[in-house]
Each structure stands twice: as structure tokens, then as C-alpha cells.
Amino acid sequence: MRPVAVALVLQTMMLVGCISSPTSASAQTNPIIKSLTPSSGAVNAQVAISGSGFASTGNTLTFTVISLAPGGQMPNAPSVIPNLASDGSSIVFKVLTEWRPACSYTAPGPCPIAYFPTAPGAYAVTVTNENGTSNAMTLTVVP
């Protein structure tokens, strides 16, 4: 058979479902956060994220200030918890006692805005992994 005829036969077989397209292998989707339990708590409180699309390792949580309680101060950079494991549908973490931007986890050492005490307020929480970044859910940190 000539190359054009072979290509036509293969395309026809893909259309009728005899073979699958090489690009149709399991498509990855962004992580999705369905809930935070509890959705509020003090520093060191254990929180479970339920959802889907979490990687077995390498999930990074990002906390971005939405609003702070009166008198609260936080840096503009988001805080992160890198390299969390998951079973694919849940991630468990503790509310950080100190604000930890990404630069505080890398050498040569702490960055200038690290280690602020976590202030009471509302924070947008997202999960980022090899599949992308999730939707945001609100976590309220209480005194």
C-alpha cells in the first residue's frame, strides 16, 4: 500500500474506534478543590482539602491574603507549603504559624519577608502540581 492509502486507512480506523489516537492518552486536568475541612481554624490547626487531580507527590499549597483582621499585617507575597503528598483526592496540612514564601524553602537561606507570624484573616488556598493550579477556596485563620 502507498503511504497516502495507509494514512487514510489509519484515520478511518481511528474514526470508527478500532484504534485510539496517540494524543488521546489520559489527559491531565487541573486540580480541583471541593472543600476545606474545617474552613476556619487557628494556627497549627489540621485542615483537610478534598477534591481531585492531586498528584501523589509534589503538590504545593499557596495561601494568598484576601483580608486581615484589624491590626493584622502580612507581606504581599503568598505563603506556600511545598511538596505535599496526596492519595489523589485529599491533602492534609497544618495552618502555618509563620508566613513562608517560596523563597524561604530554597538555599542559600531565608528570604527577607519570611517568618512573619500568620495573622488572623481570610486566605485564598490553591493547589499547584504538574497538572496545573486549582480553583481557590477560602480558609479563615482565627486568633
Side-chain angles (χ1 to χ4, degrees):
M1 244 192 261
R2 290 185 276 181
V4 174
V6 170
L8 185 57
V9 169
L10 287 174
Q11 286 179 344
T12 303
M13 291 175 74
M14 286 196 296
L15 285 174
V16 297
C18 295
I19 61 173
S20 62
S21 166
T23 58
S24 68
S26 63
Q28 298 295 323
T29 60
N30 286 358
I32 297 170
I33 298 176
K34 294 180 182 169
S35 66
L36 299 176
T37 306
S39 60
S40 67
V43 294
N44 279 325
Q46 184 169 298
V47 178
I49 300 174
S50 295
S52 61
F54 305 142
S56 58
T57 60
N59 298 288
T60 296
L61 301 186
T62 302
F63 303 86
T64 305
V65 173
I66 297 172
S67 63
L68 296 174
Q73 291 184 316
M74 295 302 295
N76 287 332
S79 184
V80 299
I81 303 175
N83 301 319
L84 291 172
S86 171
D87 62 3
S89 63
S90 65
I91 298 173
V92 177
F93 69 95
K94 285 191 175 185
V95 176
L96 294 174
T97 59
E98 296 174 329
W99 196 247
R100 296 285 310 266
C103 61
S104 69
Y105 291 95
T106 57
C111 54
I113 60 171
Y115 309 110
F116 276 77
T118 299
Y123 296 85
V125 178
T126 59
V127 176
T128 301
N129 61 29
E130 65 212 9
N131 301 325
T133 299
S134 73
N135 57 304
M137 294 286 284
T138 301
L139 174 68
T140 302
V141 177
V142 296

